[in-house]
Amino acid sequence: MIDTFTNTVLFTMLVLTALAIVRMERLFAVVMLSSVFSLLSALLFVTLDAVDVAFTEAAVGAGISTVLMLGTIALTKPAVKKSRHNAFVPLIVVCITGAALIYGTLDMPAFGSLDAPAQIHVGPDYLSRTPSDIDVPNVVTAILGSYRGFDTLGETAVVFTAGIGVLLLLSGLRRRRDDDGEDI
Amino acid sequence: MNKFFEFEFLAGHIHYLLFIVLMMTGLFIVVDKTNLVKKIIGLNIFQVSVFMFYVSIGKVTGGTAPIFPMDSNYHVDKDALQENLYSNPLPHVLILTAIVVGIATTSLGLALIVRIRESFNTIDEEEILEIEQKMTRDDNMKYDDISKGML
């Protein structure tokens, strides 16, 4: 019961934050609100028993991405103004997509049910084998580092590629600006 | 069709509905707003909602986080293990990977925005479109003049 109550409160706050992001025009406020959104979602991850995901989301979503966005705002000095086009067509598109997705969830097993397909196949296998195979108390660590180690290796490759991409895009920024005679 | 209006069904599916509401808010920001930084933020909201949806599949009612109790020798306590019910750890692992990949793509997108600002001096989608149309028009007129001169 208390679970449902916390979930409902967190959901209400998440939805309110998201709507505030839609309405808000100043970019600095929007970035701060997206940081708040990440922290709230981290709280929701805790109630969903995903503590590792929660602290990754708090560190990455509320920390690093906020810093990156503030850096972008500082570099671009954007002036936000009202959009001229009508919001009617996007609203229709979003409603149709949402209705289709909700229709898709109708066949799903109920939230938290023990006999859902996800709960009877691979998951219990990892849970039962980790104590004897790896002897690490945190099963998420065991899967991340050992059973699915190659996934993590691939993830590192993706982060490396993205880092190189960012460096290539931004390197020479100061030089080009100096050439143009633009003040920073 | 009647089962969709029973309390039990609604209580089991209301979470999915709320995740989808959050997802659609993110999608609306991506489609409707013209500022590129705001589009990226909308994409992040969409992404986090999908993560929450995915992790919720692994949740077991009455379960706890998949971290085992330890005995005094810092090994997994196999006797105490049976007392608890654990949530499915596999969605957590997949979403951990997805979060890190998500921040990588976000940073790449933000870097692209900085480059766009350098070339166009704006990060508003509508203004960029106008500038591009003007550039194309100028190009067409220029090459039209040149081809006339050749004849």
Side-chain angles (χ1 to χ4, degrees), chain A residues 42-109:
Chain A
L43 282 175
L44 198 69
F45 281 131
V46 174
T47 67
L48 292 175
D49 290 345
V51 281
D52 304 76
V53 182
F55 68 64
T56 311
E57 176 64 34
V60 167
I64 299 173
S65 72
T66 310
V67 171
L68 288 175
M69 281 175 194
L70 286 179
T72 313
I73 291 179
L75 278 174
T76 52
K77 303 190 198 83
V80 179
K81 53 180 191 324
K82 284 257 179 206
S83 154
R84 271 160 289 169
H85 71 255
N86 201 336
F88 184 67
V89 177
L91 210 58
I92 294 287
V93 169
V94 163
C95 285
I96 291 173
T97 319
L101 285 175
I102 288 167
Y103 177 71
T105 63
L106 291 183
D107 279 343
M108 285 184 65

Side-chain angles (χ1 to χ4, degrees), chain A residues 1 5 7 80 90 165:
Chain A
M1 194 62 220
F5 178 71
N7 281 354
V80 179

Side-chain angles (χ1 to χ4, degrees), chain A residues 79-146:
Chain A
V80 179
K81 53 180 191 324
K82 284 257 179 206
S83 154
R84 271 160 289 169
H85 71 255
N86 201 336
F88 184 67
V89 177
L91 210 58
I92 294 287
V93 169
V94 163
C95 285
I96 291 173
T97 319
L101 285 175
I102 288 167
Y103 177 71
T105 63
L106 291 183
D107 279 343
M108 285 184 65
F111 175 76
S113 65
L114 253 177
D115 53 351
Q119 255 65 266
I120 54 177
H121 184 42
V122 200
D125 203 38
Y126 281 129
L127 279 170
S128 61
R129 281 169 53 176
T130 299
S132 49
D133 277 3
I134 299 172
D135 199 18
V136 165
N138 191 339
V139 189
V140 175
T141 315
I143 301 177
L144 196 71
S146 184

Side-chain angles (χ1 to χ4, degrees), chain B residues 51-71:
Chain B
F51 294 164
M52 290 191 278
F53 178 68
Y54 204 100
V55 166
S56 78
I57 293 172
K59 168 77 178 165
V60 174
T61 309
T64 178
I67 300 174
F68 294 146
M70 298 219 283
D71 59 15

